[in-house]
């Protein structure tokens, strides 16, 4: 479980678990480079931090080694300013730029969205619904 908290109208930080599942045909070294590239791209956004999930304690609700996989990272961001929308759009755009079929799972408060290649309208409808659930507080 990744947390988001708000009280009396005050925004607090939100932490998301982002797990990249590289194409099964990709070798381990190429998969590691792929994940490092995405982590670097996310770090360039106005987020608080992007750290490998194995770099500290596993997020609440994580099961065993699942959260300590190569592609697991925790992204901390401010709950205000539209950063969440920018993050989700960046993940979606990253998937579109890839020549292989990768998948990204984003988890907030036990709610997971699976991002992979889909038509633009399908992806946008899914992202809009997810963003409404986690942006409104």
């Amino acid at each position: 479980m990744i947390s988001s908290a708000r009280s009396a109208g005050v925004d607090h930080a939100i932490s998301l678990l982002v797990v990249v599942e590289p194409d099964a045909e990709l070798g381990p070294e190429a998969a590691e480079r792929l994940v490092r590239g995405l982590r670097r791209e996310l770090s360039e956004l106005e987020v608080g931090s992007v750290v490998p999930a194995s770099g500290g304690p596993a997020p609440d609700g994580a099961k065993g080694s699942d959260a300590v996989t190569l592609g697991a990272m925790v992204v901390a961001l401010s709950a205000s300013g539209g950063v969440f929308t920018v993050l989700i759009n960046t993940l979606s755009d990253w998937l579109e730029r890839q020549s292989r079929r990768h998948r990204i799972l984003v988890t907030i408060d036990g709610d997971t969205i699976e991002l992979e290649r889909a038509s633009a309208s399908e992806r946008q409808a899914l992202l809009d619904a997810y963003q409404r659930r986690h942006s409104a507080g």
Side-chain angles (χ1 to χ4, degrees), residues 21-40:
E21 294 182 351
D23 186 318
E25 295 180 7
L26 202 60
E29 289 177 11
E32 184 177 345
R33 279 192 307 276
L34 180 83
V35 171
R36 275 197 320 259
L38 177 59
R39 189 177 305 126
R40 189 172 33 256

Side-chain angles (χ1 to χ4, degrees), residues 53-67:
S54 60
D60 293 342
K63 298 175 186 167
S65 63
D66 290 343

Side-chain angles (χ1 to χ4, degrees), residues 4-6 11-12 14 16 77-89 108-109 111 127-137:
S4 66
R6 294 169 201 227
D11 289 337
H12 298 278
I14 296 175
L16 304 89
L77 50 100
S78 167
S80 62
V83 178
F84 177 73
T85 301
V86 171
L87 173 71
I88 296 295
N89 288 336
I108 301 173
D109 290 335
D111 184 16
L127 290 172
D128 288 347
Y130 192 74
Q131 288 172 347
R132 278 191 302 275
R133 286 197 305 268
H134 295 287
S135 295

Side-chain angles (χ1 to χ4, degrees), residues 18 20 31-45 47 49-54 69-75 91 94:
V18 177
V20 178
E32 184 177 345
R33 279 192 307 276
L34 180 83
V35 171
R36 275 197 320 259
L38 177 59
R39 189 177 305 126
R40 189 172 33 256
E41 189 171 330
L42 295 179
S43 295
E44 292 173 3
L45 301 176
V47 299
S49 64
V50 179
V51 296
S54 60
T69 60
L70 166 72
M73 61 191 93
V74 175
V75 180
L91 293 172
W94 181 85

